C-alpha cells in the first residue's frame, strides 16, 4: 500500500492564496478590475510580426527584394543568310535614249559588325508590258563590303538598237545578291 505524506499549510498562506484567487477571478469575470498597464514595446518586431513562421523555413518576404541582378549579356554569333537581297536597295531605274543605256543605282549595306562580305550581284531590266519574264538587259558584278559599311554603285547595261527604240516599258529588279563571308 502506498502511503503519502501530507504537508500542512499554514493559515496565513491559505489566506494569501485565497485572496490571490479571488482577485484573479474578479479580474477575469468582471472584465478586468484593474486597468491594463500602458506598455510600449521598443526594438525589433517579433518574427511573427514580419511574417516569419518558425515551422516554415521559407520567409514570406524576399530578403533580396531590393537587390537587382543583371547577368552579363551573352555573346551571340551573328546569323548568316547567303541571300543578301535584304541588304540591297535600288533607286533611279532609268533608260537613256541618247546613250542607249539602262542604269540603276544600287546600295549594299553590310549588316554585320564583324565580317566582310562579297556580294555577287545580278540586276535585270525586265520587260514590263507584256511582263513575259524576259529581260531587256542583265548586269552582273561582285562588290566587297566591309563590316557596317555601305557601297553604292550604278549598274549599267548598253543596247545597240540604233535609233529605233520606239515606245517600250521596263522595270529594274535585283534578282541576285549572293553573299559570301570573306
Amino acid at each position: 500500500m502506498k502511503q503519502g505524506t501530507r504537508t500542512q499549510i499554514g493559515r496565513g498562506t491559505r489566506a494569501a492564496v485565497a485572496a490571490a484567487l479571488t482577485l484573479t477571478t474578479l479580474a477575469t469575470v468582471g472584465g478586468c478590475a484593474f486597468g491594463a498597464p500602458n506598455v510600449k514595446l521598443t526594438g525589433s518586431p517579433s518574427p511573427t510580426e514580419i511574417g516569419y513562421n518558425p515551422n516554415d523555413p521559407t520567409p514570406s518576404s524576399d530578403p533580396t527584394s531590393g537587390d537587382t541582378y543583371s547577368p552579363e549579356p551573352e555573346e551571340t554569333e551573328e546569323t548568316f543568310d547567303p541571300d543578301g537581297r535584304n541588304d540591297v536597295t535600288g533607286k533611279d531605274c532609268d533608260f537613256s535614249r541618247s546613250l542607249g543605256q539602262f542604269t540603276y543605282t544600287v546600295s549594299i549595306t553590310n549588316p554585320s559588325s564583324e565580317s566582310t562580305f562579297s556580294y555577287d550581284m545580278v540586276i535585270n531590266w525586265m520587260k514590263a508590258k507584256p511582263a513575259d519574264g524576259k529581260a531587256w538587259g542583265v548586269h552582273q558584278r561582285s562588290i566587297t563590303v566591309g563590316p557596317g559599311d555601305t557601297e553604292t554603285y550604278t549598274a549599267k547595261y548598253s543596247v545597240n538598237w540604233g535609233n529605233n527604240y520606239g515606245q517600250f516599258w521596263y522595270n529594274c529588279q535585283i534578282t541576285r545578291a549572293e553573299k559570301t563571308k570573306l
Side-chain angles (χ1 to χ4, degrees), residues 47-58:
T48 55
E49 289 175 348
I50 60 172
Y52 176 74
N53 180 352
N55 297 324
D56 181 8
T58 307

Side-chain angles (χ1 to χ4, degrees), residues 4 17 39 41-42 51-52 56 59 65 91 101 111 121 126 128 144 146 155:
V17 170
V39 178
L41 297 176
T42 59
Y52 176 74
D56 181 8
S65 62
K91 65 179 183 177
Q101 188 176 68
M121 302 294 302
M126 304 297 292
T144 300

Side-chain angles (χ1 to χ4, degrees), residues 11-33:
R11 242 184 220 173
T13 305
R14 280 189 192 160
V17 170
L21 286 174
T22 303
L23 286 176
T24 304
T25 304
L26 280 176
T28 305
V29 174
C32 194

Side-chain angles (χ1 to χ4, degrees), residues 8-175:
Q8 278 193 336
I9 299 177
R11 242 184 220 173
T13 305
R14 280 189 192 160
V17 170
L21 286 174
T22 303
L23 286 176
T24 304
T25 304
L26 280 176
T28 305
V29 174
C32 194
F34 307 106
N38 189 4
V39 178
K40 186 172 185 179
L41 297 176
T42 59
S44 301
S46 71
T48 55
E49 289 175 348
I50 60 172
Y52 176 74
N53 180 352
N55 297 324
D56 181 8
T58 307
S60 62
S61 63
D62 184 6
T64 60
S65 62
D67 298 337
T68 57
Y69 172 71
S70 299
E72 291 292 322
E74 292 182 22
E75 288 189 26
T76 57
E77 188 174 319
E78 293 181 330
T79 58
F80 174 73
D81 182 3
D83 184 358
R85 286 182 288 180
N86 287 333
D87 303 348
V88 181
T89 58
K91 65 179 183 177
D92 301 329
C93 182
D94 199 14
F95 178 74
S96 169
R97 290 182 181 276
S98 62
L99 298 174
Q101 188 176 68
F102 290 100
T103 57
Y104 193 43
T105 303
V106 178
S107 294
I108 307 163
T109 301
N110 180 349
S112 172
S113 59
E114 302 170 356
S115 304
T116 298
F117 294 114
S118 174
Y119 291 83
D120 184 20
M121 302 294 302
V122 175
I123 311 300
N124 285 7
W125 288 270
M126 304 297 292
K127 293 182 179 180
K129 288 185 180 182
D132 59 5
K134 294 182 182 174
W136 291 113
V138 176
H139 166 87
Q140 296 184 18
R141 182 173 178 183
S142 289
I143 302 289
T144 300
V145 185
D149 290 341
T150 299
E151 295 290 331
T152 301
Y153 75 98
T154 301
K156 298 177 182 176
Y157 180 77
S158 297
V159 294
N160 189 5
W161 296 339
N163 287 334
N164 218 1
Y165 298 117
Q167 188 175 13
F168 68 96
W169 290 266
Y170 60 95
N171 65 30
C172 300
Q173 293 181 0
I174 301 168
T175 55

